[in-house]
Amino acid sequence: MNLQPRLFGWRCGAYLLLLGGLTWAALHQLTQPLWDEPEIVLEIGGTYEDLRKNSSAPFSPGIRGHIWFGIPMTDARLRFVDPQFGFSTPAARYFAVGFNDNVIYSLRMSPQIEPLLIDDALKIVLDLQDQWRAKGWVAKGLRNSPVIVDTPEWRAYLRKGILAGKTYWQADNKYQVMLVLARFEDYRNPTEERYLITLALAKPWVPFDEIEDMYDEPSHFPAPQPK
């Protein structure tokens, strides 16, 4: 009985299977960013270990017993986890998570990869505010920090570059977020108006319910108020 043809056929099939597997792996590596955008899954009060385990973006290792900041190793979007108040952001390059003895207590990030033109920056800001509004967050400190909107008045205010647009939102007594939109001098695009967004998230740190009725010194450059 001649086993050579069968052996040749088995080997050929194995080689084809191996080649197919290598081809699939290569295609997966090339196209992975298209369907598997890195994500950071964060919960205030959760553990830093769970953040690293649940996130698809690699994160710097934690240091037990210390107040420390962790940063991701790649650009990644945020998914803030809460049954009622959760929200998500576009991919970010600047991202810092504060933790104390493995427990997460703060987040500071810029939900963008690079400084943006005003249209693109406002699109992100308005989307975040819409998410918060839909999830039950409430805007706070409106006298001095009104909600940012896309109007000619707001665009003119931001374009001056004197003061940033700043708005605060609060989720019951659980979380508070500060969102800042400011003009940014981008050395790579010196002839364009570019803008930077900053988002800070933690348990409530500004007691708006106690201070909103107090006297405030009028600003020389007040932010546009809603009409």
Side-chain angles (χ1 to χ4, degrees):
M1 183 176 180
N2 190 355
L3 297 179
Q4 187 174 358
R6 293 186 181 182
L7 184 61
F8 174 80
W10 179 87
R11 286 179 176 175
C12 182
Y15 289 148
L16 289 175
L17 184 62
L18 177 61
L19 179 61
L22 292 174
T23 302
W24 181 90
L27 289 172
H28 179 77
Q29 184 68 24
L30 289 173
T31 59
Q32 184 177 8
L34 299 179
W35 73 67
D36 188 20
E37 184 179 28
E39 181 182 61
I40 294 166
V41 181
L42 181 141
E43 179 183 2
I44 296 293
T47 67
Y48 193 72
E49 290 175 351
D50 283 344
L51 179 145
R52 298 186 70 208
K53 180 177 66 177
N54 296 329
S55 299
S56 57
F59 233 85
S60 58
I63 300 177
R64 285 188 173 274
H66 291 74
I67 296 178
W68 206 252
F69 286 91
I71 57 174
M73 302 292 100
T74 184
D75 299 341
R77 64 192 298 269
L78 166 73
R79 178 158 61 90
F80 176 63
V81 177
D82 184 89
Q84 179 179 351
F85 300 115
F87 64 91
S88 61
T89 74
R93 180 156 296 171
Y94 170 69
F95 203 118
V97 174
F99 61 96
N100 184 5
D101 196 19
N102 198 37
V103 177
I104 297 170
Y105 67 87
S106 72
L107 162 71
R108 191 172 182 88
M109 67 179 296
S110 181
Q112 60 199 94
I113 300 300
E114 61 181 354
L116 298 172
L117 298 171
I118 186 63
D119 289 344
D120 298 322
L122 280 171
K123 183 178 179 181
I124 292 175
V125 168
L126 297 182
D127 175 71
L128 287 169
Q129 292 182 148
D130 287 344
Q131 288 189 64
W132 296 330
R133 191 179 291 110
K135 294 295 183 69
W137 293 67
V138 177
K140 294 285 189 177
L142 295 176
R143 188 187 328 184
N144 295 317
S145 304
V147 172
I148 299 172
V149 294
D150 187 358
T151 63
E153 293 79 9
W154 261 105
R155 287 175 178 251
Y157 175 80
L158 294 167
R159 187 174 295 117
K160 295 176 183 177
I162 300 173
L163 294 177
K166 182 189 299 182
T167 180
Y168 291 89
W169 293 73
Q170 189 160 321
D172 287 345
N173 293 319
K174 296 183 69 175
Y175 318 112
Q176 193 176 99
V177 70
M178 179 183 69
L179 187 67
V180 180
L181 175 60
R183 190 166 174 178
F184 181 82
E185 186 175 353
D186 187 356
Y187 69 92
R188 295 171 302 175
N189 301 283
T191 63
E192 296 179 345
E193 295 177 10
R194 295 276 175 159
Y195 293 83
L196 193 67
I197 306 163
T198 304
L199 187 156
L201 170 67
K203 293 182 178 181
W205 69 91
V206 180
F208 285 108
D209 293 339
E210 301 175 14
I211 66 175
E212 288 210 294
D213 293 331
M214 297 173 63
Y215 176 78
D216 290 317
E217 188 71 23
S219 172
H220 295 292
F221 304 99
Q225 292 287 339
K227 297 179 180 179

